[in-house]
Amino acid sequence: MDAVSHRILVMGVSGCGKSHIGQQLAAALNAKFIDGDDYHPPANVAKMASGTPLDDDDRQGWLETLAELFADHRQQNVSVVIACSGLKHRYRDCLRQGDSALRILYLEGDQTLLRERLETREGHFFKGENMLASQLADLEPPGESEAVTVSIALSPPEIVSRFTSALSATLNHSSRTPSL
């Protein structure tokens, strides 16, 4: 029997901890971790570094690249965790083109906590209060059946534990066969 592999999106607005949680989740699942930010084209990075929010056109090619990464890992039956904002439903639909069974961890946080985290973060190209406000305005939180939502107020180990527990419960439920 083939080993179970997963393609997992860790999503949320900037400052929610996608990369940090994604790395810990990947380690817990023995999966590869990819930071979606590393795949932004230079024009997107320059735009964000100047404090200008990205628009849908800016994000399209980037999302297609990440969907290809999900597809490559699915075809190889290899687990991967990708951190990507995934703000809008249509963005997540694009990512699902790489794997229709994409699992999603949505890191939810309030604006005050997110702002505090962004103010203390060094060396990242995402800058400015208006960029956070833009992301929060664009955010379409995933529906309950689409994702596991966890508060960023929890500790990283607890966030990872809640998601892996939900993932295990889903797998156990789907592997059960009805008794005759």
Side-chain angles (χ1 to χ4, degrees):
M1 183 162 144
D2 291 335
V4 175
S5 66
H6 308 284
R7 269 60 54 204
I8 300 169
L9 167 66
V10 178
M11 66 156 289
V13 299
S14 190
C16 71
K18 294 181 295 292
S19 297
H20 184 70
I21 299 299
Q23 290 169 344
Q24 291 193 10
L25 180 60
L29 296 173
N30 197 28
K32 179 177 180 181
F33 173 74
I34 296 173
D35 192 330
D37 283 347
D38 293 342
Y39 289 82
H40 272 296
N44 283 7
V45 174
K47 191 171 183 179
M48 288 184 283
S50 74
T52 305
L54 299 178
D55 60 27
D56 289 350
D57 290 336
D58 296 323
R59 290 184 178 106
Q60 188 59 42
W62 173 64
L63 292 167
E64 290 169 358
T65 297
L66 297 181
E68 289 171 11
L69 290 170
F70 279 127
D72 290 346
H73 286 82
R74 178 184 48 78
Q75 290 168 356
Q76 296 171 28
N77 196 33
V78 174
S79 293
V80 66
V81 176
I82 298 180
C84 165
S85 55
L87 297 175
K88 296 181 180 182
H89 187 75
R90 68 176 164 236
Y91 299 170
R92 297 186 295 273
D93 284 347
C94 180
L95 295 171
R96 271 191 211 89
Q97 291 176 14
D99 187 344
S100 61
L102 185 66
R103 310 282 182 165
I104 299 173
L105 169 55
Y106 167 44
L107 300 175
E108 181 180 52
D110 67 47
Q111 188 167 0
T112 302
L113 181 54
L114 292 163
R115 187 179 322 110
E116 287 172 7
R117 288 182 175 192
L118 287 171
E119 288 171 356
T120 61
R121 186 163 71 174
E122 294 180 14
H124 195 275
F125 53 76
F126 188 96
K127 306 281 188 233
E129 177 67 28
N130 67 326
M131 289 184 62
L132 176 59
S134 172
Q135 282 201 343
L136 289 169
D138 284 349
L139 179 63
E140 297 170 2
E144 287 185 24
S145 65
E146 181 183 22
V148 175
T149 300
V150 182
S151 170
I152 64 170
L154 299 173
S155 71
E158 190 169 2
I159 292 170
V160 169
S161 176
R162 287 191 182 196
F163 182 78
T164 55
S165 293
L167 186 61
S168 292
T170 301
L171 291 174
N172 289 337
H173 178 73
S174 65
S175 67
R176 289 187 198 141
T177 55
S179 303
L180 297 177

